[in-house]
Amino acid sequence: MASSSKVESDSEDEALDEEVEHFDDFTLASSWERFISEIEAVCRQWMSDGPKNLLEKGAVLLEFSKNLYKVKFELKYALKSYLMEYYFEKSNTDDGKVSDWNFNLHDLQLCFGVKEFLVIAPQSASGVVLDAPEASKLLSAVAIALSNCSSLLPAFVPVHDPSRKAYIGIQNRGTVFTRRFESDHIGSQVPVKLMHLEGLYELFISKFAYSTLDISVHLFKVHFTMKLTYRTLSFDDDNDVQETDAEMTESEGNPASDIHSKAQWDDDCPWSEWYSAEDPVKGFEVIAIWSEKMVESSSEMAELENASPHDAEKWILFPIFSENLTDGSKGNQIGFASQLHFLVDALDMSFEAQFMEDFVSVESQGPDNLKTSMVIPPPTVIDRMLKELFHEGVQEPNFAKSEHKNSRAIKGAPLESLFAQFCLHSLWVDSCNIRAIAVLWIEFVREVRWCWEESQPLPKMPANGSIDLSTCLINQKLQMLAICIESKRELNEDYQDCIGSTDQASPHKKEDDPFGEDSDSSSIMLTPGENFDGKRDSPSKPDDLHGSGTTVSKFSSEPEHMVLADPKPSDCIRRGSAGVVGSMMLLKSHQRMHTPCTQDAPLMTEDMHEERLRAVEAFGDSFNFSAQLEKEILSTDMSAFKAANPDAIFEDFIRWHSPGDWESDDTQEKRPIKRLAMEDSNNDWPPRGRLSRRMSEHGNLWRKIWNDAPALPASEQKPLLDPNREGEKILHYLETLRPHLLLEQMVCTAFRASVDALNQTSYGGLKQMATKMEQLYLTMASSLRPLQANRLSSGSEIIDDLRQLCGVLEHVEKLLAVAASLHRKFLQAPRLSEAIFSDYYIFFLPRMGTASVGDNAQMDFDKKQQVRIHERPVVSNMFTPPTANQSWRKVLSMGNNLNGHEPVLREIIFSIRDRVSDHYAAHIPSVYQQEIETYRMYTCGTSNDLRVALSVVSCD
């Protein structure tokens, strides 16, 4: 018995101990309460951290906002996972309200007028609570947790189908009031009454007025504000509609007419000759905002619906840009840059053959891809290109018109020149492959040779002037060939004219004509005052320099031709005179010194100058290289001087040709020429002076040349440059040019000509665009410099640099299209175009290769501009009145139309405000009362859909 009782006692003690160890704490009895406690703990942590610490812990800035951040925390309850998010602003104010029409607001901020808030939602595919009891229970848990924290944050739970964007919410407003939120959306079949402002107003009144009350006869002080959004038709669609209407009108007037030329937005842009670009500005949104006003009856709402958008207090303009501007995929942009990519590829392949014919010949042993993937243009394409280059006018181009100040830093050809036009045409032929370029070049050179053999002017090339050594060598050769062709033509014409007029020569002609009776046939190839390039040899003379036939003689007040009745022997053989040289006299004969007509210095291209430099190096240092190389030019000048001044001596030539080598004993010849002529009668003769030491040395080369030079006028001298010989040498160069040398010059010229063409675009006073164009020229000059130095080889890294340059040009090309489009659309409101472009330039800059595109780079352009009162007509004119063809598109069912266009979005905020005391005691003075929004309704929609968000403050 004792043992059994002991056992029973032990078992009772163990049961008691077990009961004590498994004591249940009923203060946390359920998972529901633990869920609330967890929410409370998270909220307390967020509230204690504050915005600054939350940012340091990794709060995320919302993409559409500049000041709204988000933190989140995962919770679990009843085998479900929930995500709680806290939205807060970095700079917080105490009022807890936000501006009604701030464009950076979160959807819930706009709908309910809150500033900071919580959102709790299940972690599911839809992210919403589809079960109503679950939504109410979830919202209650959050409300209890926030109340325990003494927090006034509103909390929201998404409900129903995601497309409805429906929410329910609650906010503790202190010890007395609670604010409840609810929103929903009607996606179709909107009641007709709710399409109009009057019906929406009555819907809001019905939320607080008695149902038996006649709303139409009672006045309610309702605060009202409205925002209407209008959107222009896409400019491409607008063009299509205008084209269709024009075709309908044209067909009615002329049924046989079935061809209509569609006008493109960029028809007057310089690139339209080569391609048509997509309009980067697809349209505009105009947001008209009515500031808050008091409305007391539905009749006032009816009047507001008939009001014009011009009555709105504020207009905001938002441009809509094409997605292709920021789309980095290839093939979505047609322009110079895309074609230059192909030309760079052709340059890379140009090292695979010795001659251009090798790329065309079927028998040539080259890579298979040259014969399969690369297409040769058909004859019709080649004929059309040659016709545009050679047979559509031969007028001289104006190179300076299209030239940027930095353009000459690129060693290419001017935009209007023949070679530049050839390069631009080549860009658009069969993807600009190497075989197509080879065929075009061969035909191009054949056409150039035909112009040479037939003495036809070379189009788009100047036939006079000096060779521009800043251009590429091919352009220099073509310019020199054009001069040679012109020289050949003039020689032939002069020869025919002289044969036809030999028997009709007058006595005056015999006196002044440099072709005497003893002249052979070769001496009449040039007219007296012209050299081989067709330009007058004599430079422009001062007013006091006259021809020999009208010059006043030193010994008579009569013109010189009056004195020639008894001429001196030397006067009878003077030939090739361009006029007297002021009052200068010859040292030996006491006659006036005459300026001779001389030949111009021979024209030389860059490679000819290099040959001369190599010749200088070959001579060594024992000779006067300058005099040696200029011997022929100096000899022709001396011969012409002797012919114009038969009694001249070497010292006379030095006084005229090189005054610095004549050391005068007096200051007579240092005075101005006009003053010398006035004091002519007082001049002493002969002039006193001597040759410089350089010219006085024994064996001086100049004196030797003088002694050997015959007295021949320029017209009878052998030309310094033989046009026939030089022309054939140029054609030989063009016909045997190595492919890589041709492609190097084509790449430089194509880049320069393309950007020169783009630079002619009119974009108004957009300074950023002008700066970007200037930077582009400098970038091209730096990238293309290795090609100018002929340092390129197959597989060189320079090819990759050129491809990157194409990418830079593509970005500038896109930006230029934006500038041109904005400028054309805002010709009467330039401030808007400048402001919009400035914003877009900042947005686009990271994509232009000048800055890195990081994770924080803005993906969508969202900048807006406020429209000033005087700019509104310009903006409203973009909304062209609907045509008859557009009437079927949409039946107008809303008011506030802008030029016949109804809003694409109408947003309205109704509110009622009351002064209340946030305390239980009834005897609190009125000074403690505050004005709050007791009712607020936000509506958003069109005639096809409507969203309503309601918040109500109640006393619990």
Side-chain angles (χ1 to χ4, degrees):
M1 290 293 293
S3 60
S4 61
S5 63
K6 184 178 181 179
V7 170
E8 290 178 359
S9 175
D10 292 340
S11 61
E12 290 177 359
D13 292 339
E14 291 177 2
L16 181 62
D17 294 340
E18 185 177 346
E19 184 177 350
V20 172
E21 291 176 0
H22 294 83
F23 175 77
D24 291 333
D25 185 0
F26 288 98
T27 59
L28 296 175
S30 65
S31 58
W32 161 253
E33 291 179 326
R34 285 193 291 271
F35 180 57
I36 295 175
S37 177
E38 189 174 4
I39 295 175
E40 180 182 344
V42 174
C43 291
R44 287 184 182 276
Q45 183 65 46
W46 284 343
M47 293 172 61
S48 63
D49 285 340
K52 184 177 180 180
N53 291 330
L54 289 177
L55 291 177
E56 295 177 354
K57 291 183 178 181
V60 179
L61 176 65
L62 299 188
E63 183 178 344
F64 59 84
S65 175
K66 296 181 179 179
N67 194 36
L68 188 63
Y69 294 82
K70 176 180 71 172
V71 291
K72 58 186 178 181
F73 189 84
E74 293 184 8
L75 303 166
K76 288 188 177 181
Y77 169 67
L79 302 179
K80 286 188 177 182
S81 296
Y82 295 92
L83 184 67
M84 186 169 66
E85 296 174 325
Y86 171 40
Y87 293 82
F88 66 95
E89 294 186 354
K90 182 178 179 180
S91 56
N92 194 7
T93 56
D94 296 334
D95 58 3
K97 291 187 62 179
V98 294
S99 174
D100 288 333
W101 303 124
N102 189 333
F103 294 100
N104 296 320
L105 294 180
H106 186 277
D107 180 57
L108 293 178
Q109 289 179 317
L110 180 61
C111 287
F112 300 111
V114 296
K115 193 168 188 179
E116 297 183 333
F117 56 94
L118 290 173
V119 176
I120 186 167
Q123 288 187 307
S124 60
S126 63
V128 297
V129 180
L130 302 180
D131 184 79
E134 179 186 2
S136 299
K137 189 175 183 179
L138 191 61
L139 189 62
S140 298
V142 178
I144 294 172
L146 292 175
S147 178
N148 294 339
C149 298
S150 300
S151 173
L152 302 181
L153 286 176
F156 298 95
V157 175
V159 294
H160 305 308
D161 186 81
S163 62
R164 292 171 61 174
K165 300 179 181 179
Y167 288 86
I168 59 173
I170 192 169
Q171 180 185 16
N172 180 16
R173 296 286 296 180
T175 59
V176 179
F177 299 104
T178 301
R179 191 179 185 187
R180 290 178 172 81
F181 308 96
E182 185 176 2
S183 68
D184 208 342
H185 176 262
I186 303 175
S188 61
Q189 297 181 351
V190 178
V192 176
K193 185 177 182 180
L194 298 183
M195 295 181 187
H196 302 283
L197 297 183
E198 186 176 358
L200 294 173
Y201 171 80
E202 294 178 356
L203 174 66
F204 176 66
I205 297 299
S206 66
K207 299 300 179 181
F208 59 87
Y210 293 107
S211 58
T212 58
L213 193 65
D214 188 358
I215 298 176
S216 60
V217 297
H218 283 76
L219 300 181
F220 301 93
K221 293 183 177 181
V222 176
H223 296 271
F224 164 86
T225 180
M226 180 170 63
K227 182 176 77 171
L228 301 180
T229 302
Y230 302 87
R231 183 180 295 125
T232 63
L233 287 175
S234 174
F235 290 116
D236 293 335
D237 295 341
D238 195 25
N239 289 339
D240 292 339
V241 171
Q242 293 177 6
E243 178 188 11
T244 304
D245 293 340
E247 287 178 348
M248 293 173 60
T249 304
E250 184 178 357
S251 61
E252 291 174 1
N254 184 11
S257 175
D258 58 352
I259 299 177
H260 177 71
S261 178
K262 179 181 177 180
Q264 300 292 335
W265 78 273
D266 59 349
D267 280 344
D268 58 341
C269 292
W271 62 75
S272 62
E273 179 183 356
W274 308 102
Y275 65 93
S276 179
E278 174 193 16
D279 192 344
V281 183
K282 289 302 182 183
F284 292 93
E285 285 187 356
V286 174
I287 302 171
I289 298 177
W290 276 261
S291 59
E292 187 176 279
K293 61 188 305 181
M294 187 77 72
V295 179
E296 297 184 349
S297 66
S298 57
S299 60
E300 290 185 44
M301 299 302 299
E303 294 177 3
L304 280 172
E305 186 167 344
N306 295 324
S308 168
H310 289 275
D311 298 335
E313 281 74 15
K314 185 184 295 185
W315 273 27
I316 305 295
L317 185 66
F318 174 62
I320 303 172
F321 291 101
S322 170
E323 295 180 355
N324 290 335
L325 289 174
T326 54
D327 186 3
S329 61
K330 293 184 178 180
N332 65 334
Q333 178 78 8
I334 299 298
F336 285 122
S338 62
Q339 300 307 112
L340 285 168
H341 268 289
F342 297 126
L343 185 60
V344 173
D345 293 338
L347 171 62
D348 195 21
M349 299 189 66
S350 63
F351 293 91
E352 298 178 3
Q354 293 293 320
F355 301 99
M356 295 302 293
E357 290 79 3
D358 296 338
F359 291 107
V360 182
S361 176
V362 179
E363 292 80 11
S364 62
Q365 299 297 323
D368 294 335
N369 58 354
L370 284 179
K371 303 175 183 179
T372 57
S373 62
M374 298 187 179
V375 182
I376 295 179
T380 54
V381 175
I382 299 175
D383 292 343
R384 184 180 70 249
M385 191 196 82
L386 294 177
K387 180 180 179 181
E388 293 176 357
L389 288 176
F390 289 93
H391 302 294
E392 291 189 355
V394 294
Q395 67 276 7
E396 261 190 38
N398 183 8
F399 292 159
K401 179 185 69 173
S402 58
E403 199 171 72
H404 189 271
K405 63 180 182 179
N406 294 328
S407 179
R408 297 177 70 86
I410 304 169
K411 202 171 182 63
L415 173 60
E416 301 295 332
S417 65
L418 181 60
F419 183 60
Q421 292 296 307
F422 166 79
C423 294
L424 291 179
H425 278 82
S426 300
L427 289 178
W428 305 96
V429 176
D430 288 327
S431 298
C432 193
N433 64 77
I434 187 64
R435 296 190 72 198
I437 293 174
V439 172
L440 295 176
W441 176 253
I442 292 171
E443 295 300 325
F444 175 80
V445 174
R446 287 177 182 171
E447 198 72 19
V448 171
R449 175 168 282 281
W450 179 87
C451 292
W452 164 254
E453 293 176 348
E454 299 297 327
S455 297
Q456 294 298 315
L458 201 60
K460 301 178 177 63
M461 295 303 298
N464 50 37
S466 59
I467 304 299
D468 188 356
L469 299 181
S470 67
T471 62
C472 64
L473 186 56
I474 293 178
N475 185 74
Q476 297 177 35
K477 295 288 186 182
L478 291 175
Q479 185 180 356
M480 190 166 184
L481 183 63
I483 295 174
C484 291
I485 292 174
E486 184 66 20
S487 178
K488 279 180 59 179
R489 292 182 62 193
E490 292 184 354
L491 290 174
N492 294 335
E493 292 174 359
D494 291 343
Y495 179 75
Q496 297 298 329
D497 293 342
C498 290
I499 292 178
S501 60
T502 301
D503 298 334
Q504 302 176 1
S506 63
H508 181 72
K509 175 79 172 178
K510 292 179 181 179
E511 179 182 339
D512 293 338
D513 193 354
F515 305 113
E517 294 179 357
D518 297 334
S519 300
D520 56 14
S521 60
S522 64
S523 66
I524 62 175
M525 288 296 184
L526 290 174
T527 57
E530 296 181 359
N531 64 353
F532 80 95
D533 66 359
K535 291 186 66 179
R536 285 284 172 182
D537 293 313
S538 60
S540 59
K541 300 181 290 294
D543 296 338
D544 58 333
L545 296 182
H546 306 286
S548 59
T550 57
T551 304
V552 178
S553 173
K554 177 179 176 65
F555 302 103
S556 173
S557 60
E558 298 295 325
E560 190 175 278
H561 71 270
M562 298 298 293
V563 182
L564 291 180
D566 185 16
K568 296 182 180 180
S570 61
D571 290 333
C572 296
I573 58 175
R574 175 178 288 118
R575 295 176 296 168
S577 171
V580 297
V581 186
S583 61
M584 292 183 67
M585 310 293 292
L586 297 178
L587 295 176
K588 292 296 181 70
S589 62
H590 199 269
Q591 295 184 9
R592 288 184 179 275
M593 182 184 293
H594 283 251
T595 300
C597 296
T598 60
Q599 294 191 52
D600 285 340
L603 299 175
M604 289 188 293
T605 56
E606 187 176 20
D607 57 337
M608 297 171 67
H609 281 284
E610 292 175 355
E611 290 178 4
R612 294 187 62 182
L613 291 177
R614 286 193 292 268
V616 168
E617 295 175 357
F619 272 109
D621 297 332
S622 59
F623 295 95
N624 188 330
F625 303 128
S626 177
Q628 184 68 29
L629 294 175
E630 299 293 335
K631 179 178 179 180
E632 291 185 1
I633 302 175
L634 192 60
S635 178
T636 59
D637 289 349
M638 289 180 175
S639 294
F641 188 81
K642 284 184 177 182
N645 301 279
D647 296 329
I649 59 177
F650 178 66
E651 286 77 1
D652 291 323
F653 177 77
I654 294 301
R655 293 166 60 211
W656 170 73
H657 190 278
S658 181
D661 285 312
W662 176 256
E663 298 176 356
S664 179
D665 291 341
D666 52 34
T667 58
Q668 175 186 357
E669 296 185 8
K670 296 182 181 179
R671 283 175 285 173
I673 295 176
K674 291 186 178 181
R675 186 175 178 186
L676 286 172
M678 295 174 59
E679 300 175 359
D680 188 41
S681 59
N682 298 325
N683 288 343
D684 295 332
W685 187 89
R688 292 180 295 273
R690 67 186 68 83
L691 292 175
S692 66
R693 181 177 179 182
R694 181 172 73 98
M695 290 298 175
S696 302
E697 293 178 351
H698 178 71
N700 180 267
L701 183 60
W702 282 45
R703 186 177 292 275
K704 184 178 182 302
I705 297 173
W706 172 267
N707 295 333
D708 295 339
L712 286 176
S715 59
E716 298 180 16
Q717 297 173 7
K718 178 183 177 181
L720 291 172
L721 194 66
D722 185 356
N724 292 293
R725 181 186 62 188
E726 294 301 328
E728 289 296 336
K729 287 172 63 177
I730 292 170
L731 289 169
H732 176 75
Y733 167 82
L734 298 177
E735 292 169 343
T736 59
L737 186 60
R738 294 296 178 90
H740 71 277
L741 295 178
L742 170 63
L743 266 297
E744 287 175 5
Q745 297 182 65
M746 284 187 65
V747 168
C748 291
T749 298
F751 268 103
R752 172 177 170 175
S754 299
V755 179
D756 280 343
L758 295 174
N759 189 55
Q760 298 180 23
T761 306
S762 175
Y763 49 78
L766 304 180
K767 297 180 180 179
Q768 297 100 326
M769 192 69 248
T771 302
K772 183 56 63 176
M773 291 300 296
E774 186 170 348
Q775 293 174 352
L776 178 61
Y777 275 106
L778 298 178
T779 302
M780 288 196 307
S782 176
S783 301
L784 298 173
R785 192 168 291 117
L787 300 185
Q788 303 170 14
N790 196 19
R791 299 199 302 263
L792 188 63
S793 59
S794 180
S796 173
E797 295 180 356
I798 299 175
I799 299 295
D800 295 332
D801 295 338
L802 294 177
R803 292 192 175 103
Q804 293 180 5
L805 182 61
C806 292
V808 174
L809 176 58
E810 180 179 353
H811 292 310
V812 176
E813 208 168 358
K814 290 179 179 180
L815 195 63
L816 187 64
V818 173
S821 181
L822 290 174
H823 174 63
R824 280 156 177 74
K825 292 174 174 60
F826 294 102
L827 286 174
Q828 304 302 321
R831 186 199 67 86
L832 280 176
S833 64
E834 293 173 9
I836 294 173
F837 182 79
S838 180
D839 289 339
Y840 191 81
Y841 180 82
I842 296 174
F843 165 78
F844 195 71
L845 188 63
R847 296 160 176 81
M848 297 184 66
T850 56
S852 59
V853 181
D855 296 336
N856 295 328
Q858 189 175 354
M859 300 305 297
D860 298 318
F861 181 81
D862 60 358
K863 297 293 184 180
K864 301 173 179 64
Q865 290 295 327
Q866 184 168 346
V867 182
R868 297 175 181 174
I869 296 296
H870 68 276
E871 296 169 337
R872 291 188 183 185
V874 178
V875 176
S876 63
N877 287 337
M878 296 180 182
F879 293 83
T880 56
T883 62
N885 189 58
Q886 293 174 281
S887 60
W888 60 270
R889 293 193 172 189
K890 191 171 185 179
V891 177
L892 300 182
S893 54
M894 300 170 64
N896 307 113
N897 295 331
L898 177 60
N899 290 352
H901 295 258
E902 70 176 12
V904 296
L905 187 65
R906 179 172 61 191
E907 299 172 84
I908 303 173
I909 296 177
F910 297 100
S911 63
I912 290 287
R913 298 170 188 168
D914 293 312
R915 296 189 65 85
V916 296
S917 175
D918 193 10
H919 202 277
Y920 281 116
H923 63 277
I924 296 297
S926 60
V927 70
Y928 291 100
Q929 294 184 349
Q930 61 177 339
E931 186 179 66
I932 63 173
E933 281 185 343
T934 53
Y935 292 88
R936 183 184 191 274
M937 185 177 78
Y938 166 81
T939 67
C940 170
T942 65
S943 59
N944 297 322
D945 66 310
L946 179 64
R947 185 183 184 191
V948 178
L950 180 67
S951 65
V952 178
V953 175
S954 61
C955 181
D956 294 338

